[in-house]
Amino acid sequence: MDRSALRGGVVAVLPLVPAMIPFGMVSGAAVAEAELGLSEALGLSVVLFAGAAQLAVLDVLDSGGAVLVAVAAAWVINLRFLLYSTSLAAEVADVSRTRRLGMGYVLTDQAFAVAVSGIDGRPRAATFPRYLGAAWTMWISWQIATVLGVFLGDRVPDDVPLEFAVPLLFLAMVIPVLTDRAPVAAAVVGGVGAVVAAELGAGDSSLLLGALAGIVAGTVVERSGR
């Protein structure tokens, strides 16, 4: 394995970790508020490992909803990872099936952003180790943040907006790739589309609908410029 690419993934994702920690703390604190313990918090965090989906599951279960409803909510929210994995498929076609399944487990927005950044300027074989470096750094950081949230979440003053770290985290990922018309179009249309869909009552599906709208817009702009 290309250790240089592995280290590159770690280094590239480190600036995103500080913004992720408050998000993980919110997730851990939500488990504590639902009167669940550390083992449940870590179990949910390790098995599901998806911040927004974890919060959705907790919200459904805490309000008395059925387990199947909670699973369905998490599934819908995480549908965007299907788009991510499809985008990476060609780059990791030579990687074994077992390793690709492992990639799916640790797939996050941040790991995907690091894996595709500069993808045209490096050998295809470097994508997998770069991805692993970013993905496992995020996984370890998320588990630590979850534990901190369980123990310290109730001690954070209410006027400290931990939730505000979530949009900042995504802005930190998006802004560096807005280098030409196609990504800008995808970001603008995707963001507006998600907001409009949410306002129209799409609920958890609004994120997926926004992502699809952004993909279409970016593709159209890219092809029109050829």
Side-chain angles (χ1 to χ4, degrees):
M1 182 179 294
D2 187 341
R3 293 186 179 181
S4 176
L6 185 70
R7 288 193 298 270
V10 174
V11 171
V13 84
L14 283 178
L16 301 177
V17 171
M20 180 278 301
I21 290 176
F23 190 11
M25 290 183 65
V26 169
S27 179
V31 174
E33 290 176 6
E35 299 183 351
L36 299 175
L38 177 61
S39 60
E40 288 84 357
L42 285 177
L44 184 62
S45 185
V46 169
V47 173
L48 187 52
F49 185 46
Q54 288 177 217
L55 293 175
V57 167
L58 284 172
D59 185 56
V60 172
L61 296 179
D62 194 39
S63 61
V67 172
L68 285 178
V69 175
V71 171
W75 186 81
V76 170
I77 291 173
N78 286 343
L79 274 176
R80 70 187 187 281
F81 294 129
L82 177 62
L83 304 177
Y84 293 171
S85 58
T86 301
S87 177
L88 285 172
E91 292 295 317
V92 295
D94 297 330
V95 177
S96 70
R97 180 177 298 178
T98 301
R99 288 187 171 185
R100 278 181 282 154
L101 287 172
M103 289 178 67
Y105 167 62
V106 290
L107 179 58
T108 61
D109 303 284
Q110 298 83 7
F112 173 76
V114 169
V116 299
S117 63
I119 202 167
D120 295 329
R122 65 172 183 267
R124 175 179 292 184
T127 297
F128 176 67
R130 180 178 173 85
Y131 172 89
L132 285 188
W136 282 106
T137 298
M138 291 302 298
W139 188 90
I140 294 170
S141 302
W142 180 261
Q143 308 311 323
I144 294 173
T146 298
V147 174
L148 290 175
V150 171
F151 288 110
L152 303 178
D154 59 347
R155 301 181 185 180
V156 177
D158 293 336
D159 57 352
V160 177
L162 289 178
E163 294 86 350
F164 190 62
V166 179
L168 289 180
L169 179 61
F170 282 93
L171 282 174
M173 291 188 298
V174 171
I175 290 177
V177 302
L178 301 181
T179 55
D180 55 42
R181 292 167 58 242
V184 170
V188 171
V189 174
V192 172
V195 172
V196 171
E199 290 296 322
L200 293 177
D204 293 333
S205 300
S206 59
L207 185 61
L208 178 62
L209 294 173
L212 291 173
I215 290 172
V216 172
T219 301
V220 170
V221 171
E222 183 177 15
R223 291 185 176 180
S224 67
R226 291 179 179 176

